[in-house]
Amino acid sequence: MTASDDPSTAFRFCPGCGGLLEVRAIRDAPRQVCRACGRVVYRHPAVGVAVVVRRGETLLFGRRARGPYRGAWCLPCGYVEWGEEVRAAAARECREETGLIVTVGAVLAVHSNFHDPERLTVGIWLAGEVVGGELAPGDDLDRVGFFPLAAPPEPLAFPTDRRVLAELQAGALDRIPDSTVG
Ligand SMILES: [Zn+2]
């Protein structure tokens, strides 16, 4: 069991009543259970979305302006908010981070992200087609630009972005609409 699997390290108090949590075996799995109300507190990965925007043989990347991955590059991405539809989240993140308005299409890849043990996520990489907006870094990014798929900007922040780039190089690039303008 890794630290990220260990529910005893996850939370201290019940989100329902504020009671203290303790670890109990529930159907042979260690779970956090509220001493006061008996609620079992499950821990799940968050859902992240990334948008893959293509111009010819190049893809849109952004450089992260803050946080532990400051200075590293990634495909435009972010978390799905509670109550938010997954493609709406992808379009929102792309617009907030790059200024580009996209329609979100096919699912290109789905992977579990384990690179940050405290924030496990399931990532969904979606094709985006530019329909408007002006390219400019925003939100958590300080640079944005199109780079060759075969020579992405380094360092890359996330190992799963690199994995997806390899998958796209292996033949999935045609599944992304070409957003080259003019
Ligand atoms: Zn409780």
Side-chain angles (χ1 to χ4, degrees):
M1 178 177 282
T2 66
S4 56
D5 300 326
D6 183 1
S8 68
T9 65
F11 303 111
R12 290 181 62 204
F13 301 106
C14 174
C17 78
L20 270 176
L21 299 175
E22 65 182 15
V23 176
R24 293 183 203 159
I26 308 265
R27 286 186 288 277
D28 293 330
R31 304 290 186 190
Q32 286 192 288
V33 182
C34 177
R35 287 184 189 175
C37 75
R39 177 168 173 165
V40 180
V41 179
Y42 293 96
R43 199 182 192 192
H44 301 289
V47 178
V49 282
V51 181
V52 186
V53 177
R54 176 167 84 95
R55 283 183 181 164
E57 301 297 309
T58 67
L59 299 180
L60 176 61
F61 291 86
R63 193 174 70 176
R64 304 177 75 84
R66 57 181 75 70
Y69 301 101
R70 184 171 178 266
W73 295 78
C74 62
L75 298 165
C77 63
Y79 289 104
V80 179
E81 302 270 8
W82 190 264
E84 187 176 36
E85 194 277 326
V86 62
R87 283 179 175 77
R92 173 185 55 73
E93 287 289 349
C94 191
R95 184 173 191 164
E96 287 175 358
E97 294 198 330
T98 74
L100 295 181
I101 300 165
V102 294
T103 54
V104 175
V107 173
L108 301 171
V110 178
H111 295 296
S112 292
N113 291 306
F114 297 111
H115 55 263
D116 182 349
E118 291 301 312
R119 292 175 190 78
L120 299 185
T121 64
V122 172
I124 305 170
W125 285 256
L126 296 144
E129 183 172 15
V130 177
V131 294
E134 294 273 336
L135 185 61
D139 203 19
D140 297 330
L141 302 181
D142 63 3
R143 284 181 65 189
V144 287
F146 284 83
F147 294 83
L149 170 60
E154 299 285 353
L156 287 177
F158 307 125
T160 38
D161 266 354
R162 195 178 297 284
R163 180 174 173 181
V164 170
L165 296 180
E167 291 166 355
L168 295 176
Q169 266 191 301
L173 197 61
D174 290 345
R175 294 169 60 202
I176 310 166
D178 192 341
S179 289
T180 301
V181 274

